[in-house]
Amino acid sequence: LFEQSSDETTIQIENNIVDVFERWLPFVQLQNIGINRRDDINQININIEFNISRTPNSLESVQVTFDGAGGETSSSTTSDGAY
């Protein structure tokens, strides 16, 4: 709950994301997971780039930001869409 953010925390977050997608969304292919820690303001930004197996040329991304105040914001964008 009050664990300090470290390189190990970043690795754990990335591993958890991969595990969840493999289990619950096997049709989603993860292309890139970017995790940016801002320790000075207690914030973690996570950007996930992915595509759906049936549309491999369509690259989507989701960005989620967690801050030290317990807030969470998220946004979704289409990077390159071929629908």
Side-chain angles (χ1 to χ4, degrees):
L1 179 61
F2 297 104
E3 187 174 315
Q4 292 293 320
S5 182
S6 67
D7 289 338
E8 185 176 318
T9 305
T10 302
I11 292 168
Q12 287 176 338
I13 291 170
E14 185 171 348
N15 288 339
N16 286 341
I17 290 169
V18 170
D19 290 345
V20 167
F21 273 82
E22 285 177 351
R23 179 177 176 136
W24 298 106
L25 300 167
F27 53 89
V28 174
Q29 298 174 335
L30 296 174
Q31 300 300 324
N32 186 36
I33 300 173
I35 300 173
N36 182 20
R37 293 189 343 251
R38 297 270 322 263
D39 295 332
D40 58 328
I41 58 172
N42 295 325
Q43 187 178 75
I44 295 178
N45 300 311
I46 302 171
N47 186 52
I48 302 172
E49 294 178 348
F50 64 93
N51 66 285
I52 307 300
S53 298
R54 293 190 310 178
T55 56
N57 293 330
S58 176
L59 185 64
E60 306 284 337
S61 70
V62 175
Q63 183 177 27
V64 181
T65 301
F66 298 95
D67 62 35
E72 172 187 337
T73 60
S74 64
S75 63
S76 175
T77 60
T78 300
S79 300
D80 179 26
Y83 294 96

